[in-house]
Amino acid sequence: MNWKTLTLLAFLGMSLASCMREDSENVNQDRIWARYELFYDADEDITYARATFRFGHSAGTKLELTEPSEVRFNGDPIPFREGLAYYEEDYAGFVSSGTFEFEDLNGNTYVNDAEIRSIEFPSTFGPIDQNASFEIEWEGDALGTDEIVSVWLNGINEGNAQFFTENSDGATNILLGMNQLQQLPAGTTTAIIERSYTPDIQQGTDVGGVIHGRYRGSTRSVEVE
């Protein structure tokens, strides 16, 4: 069996594992770990409200809620996505904040507020010189606690893609180091910027969970020289 076949089998195994799930009626309700995410994609102009439930911890088996247990966003029940094994509803435009409510089979309700903090590249930036560091001052507020800004150049999954982050309180820009810039091909490259806000969960079970607000700015093209 060659390495390509082994790689494919490993990928299929991980994909199947990520979609495996259990009904929530089969687990201790106090052991349901939750992830609530509000995600805005500027290219699509769509906001996604997502909720993922797992047994025990962040890497536990995914759970599908058994009726009458449910999860809502701003009062709307969120549908379960079979192929992804999580709950998701989409909304037109930018929904900057909202409230997730999860009710378990014991009648306990957990309420958590999520917030998205916006960010965009400056109206003009570049070209980028591969032989020097490059600073991007973004459009948006300075970073606060529990926030991180990420930038991808040459896309996210493309060859030679480079990834940069900034998480300092009060930061208003991100520095792209020369060593990484030299790994990029010369010419037009895709630039993506994203801002994540991950405060502590407000109400959770004994095993807790996370809240994630994420804003992905408009994709840009920039010249690399």
Side-chain angles (χ1 to χ4, degrees):
M1 187 178 295
N2 61 36
W3 68 270
K4 290 184 178 179
T5 302
L6 289 171
T7 301
L8 177 60
L9 290 173
F11 173 77
L12 290 174
M14 288 187 293
S15 297
L16 288 172
S18 67
C19 293
M20 290 179 61
R21 65 179 186 273
E22 180 69 75
D23 291 335
S24 69
E25 66 181 351
N26 297 326
V27 303
N28 184 331
Q29 300 298 287
D30 293 329
R31 300 284 298 168
I32 296 178
W33 181 93
R35 174 187 173 91
Y36 306 106
E37 180 179 45
L38 198 58
F39 169 53
Y40 175 70
D41 188 324
D43 286 341
E44 297 181 332
D45 191 29
I46 294 175
T47 301
Y48 298 89
R50 296 170 177 163
T52 305
F53 300 97
R54 292 179 180 271
F55 178 58
H57 49 79
S58 61
T61 302
K62 286 186 176 180
L63 300 173
E64 181 176 0
L65 302 180
T66 304
E67 293 183 357
S69 180
E70 66 174 352
V71 60
R72 298 177 292 274
F73 179 74
N74 286 347
D76 300 328
I78 306 176
F80 187 70
R81 306 298 182 185
E82 288 285 345
L84 302 170
Y86 61 65
Y87 292 79
E88 180 184 80
E89 184 62 277
D90 51 20
Y91 298 87
F94 178 41
V95 180
S96 62
S97 62
T99 301
F100 289 91
E101 296 176 82
F102 160 51
E103 183 177 350
D104 69 15
L105 289 175
N106 292 335
N108 300 309
T109 299
Y110 303 91
V111 179
N112 287 277
D113 296 322
E115 176 188 353
I116 303 176
R117 299 178 178 180
S118 63
I119 194 168
E120 291 286 354
F121 285 118
S123 55
T124 59
F125 77 100
I128 295 176
D129 183 352
Q130 290 180 304
N131 296 309
S133 60
F134 187 84
E135 185 177 86
I136 298 174
E137 186 164 346
W138 60 72
E139 293 183 359
D141 293 338
L143 286 186
T145 304
D146 300 319
E147 285 192 276
I148 186 170
V149 166
S150 304
V151 167
W152 292 263
L153 293 181
N154 204 34
I156 294 179
N157 298 313
E158 300 299 321
N160 297 74
Q162 298 298 311
F163 177 60
F164 309 84
T165 62
E166 176 59 66
N167 64 352
S168 302
D169 282 4
T172 58
N173 57 61
I174 184 168
L175 187 65
L176 314 183
M178 180 181 68
N179 289 344
Q180 285 183 255
L181 294 178
Q182 289 178 334
Q183 306 304 311
L184 293 169
T188 304
T189 193
T190 301
I192 298 169
I193 191 167
E194 190 170 285
R195 182 175 192 150
S196 296
Y197 175 47
T198 312
D200 292 336
I201 194 167
Q202 295 137 30
Q203 294 185 5
T205 66
D206 291 347
V207 293
V210 297
I211 303 170
H212 198 186
R214 193 157 55 101
Y215 185 108
R216 180 171 293 176
S218 301
T219 301
R220 300 284 293 278
S221 295
V222 63
E223 292 299 316
V224 176
E225 300 178 343

